[in-house]
Amino acid sequence: VFDTGSSNLWVPRKQAARRTGASFDPRASSSYSASRRSFQIVYGQGAVSGSFCADNVAIGDLVLKNFTFAEVTDTSGLRNYDRL
């Protein structure tokens, strides 16, 4: 999810999926590194929460190695959430 209102990149973890669509499965990555640091962000439509982690992230041809982002495990507070 590109959140242009903040500097945080977050992705829904596979277990948090409420609908079909893209999600993050850390078991499928050999470079994934978990963190104990919690993450929560509140939007006008509600909140999401999870924890920070690090992994290699590719956006098109751009590859960010060991990039820190949030894996969201709870999207239940986010109304009208439509995962892409």
Side-chain angles (χ1 to χ4, degrees):
V1 172
F2 287 102
D3 172 9
T4 58
S6 74
S7 61
N8 296 307
L9 170 67
W10 64 266
V11 295
R13 189 171 171 144
K14 187 173 183 179
Q15 292 83 348
R18 294 192 299 174
R19 300 182 185 138
T20 60
S23 61
F24 177 64
D25 184 357
R27 297 172 298 171
S29 173
S30 62
S31 54
Y32 169 80
S33 176
S35 168
R36 293 183 180 176
R37 194 170 61 148
S38 64
F39 170 83
Q40 181 180 27
I41 191 164
V42 179
Y43 298 100
Q45 293 292 318
V48 297
S49 62
S51 60
F52 284 98
C53 65
D55 204 344
N56 297 336
V57 174
I59 303 171
D61 292 334
L62 176 66
V63 177
L64 305 168
K65 293 188 181 265
N66 200 35
F67 184 78
T68 299
F69 61 96
E71 57 179 314
V72 168
T73 53
D74 184 5
T75 60
S76 63
L78 192 58
R79 295 182 304 277
N80 301 319
Y81 174 54
D82 186 19
R83 292 188 8 252
L84 301 174

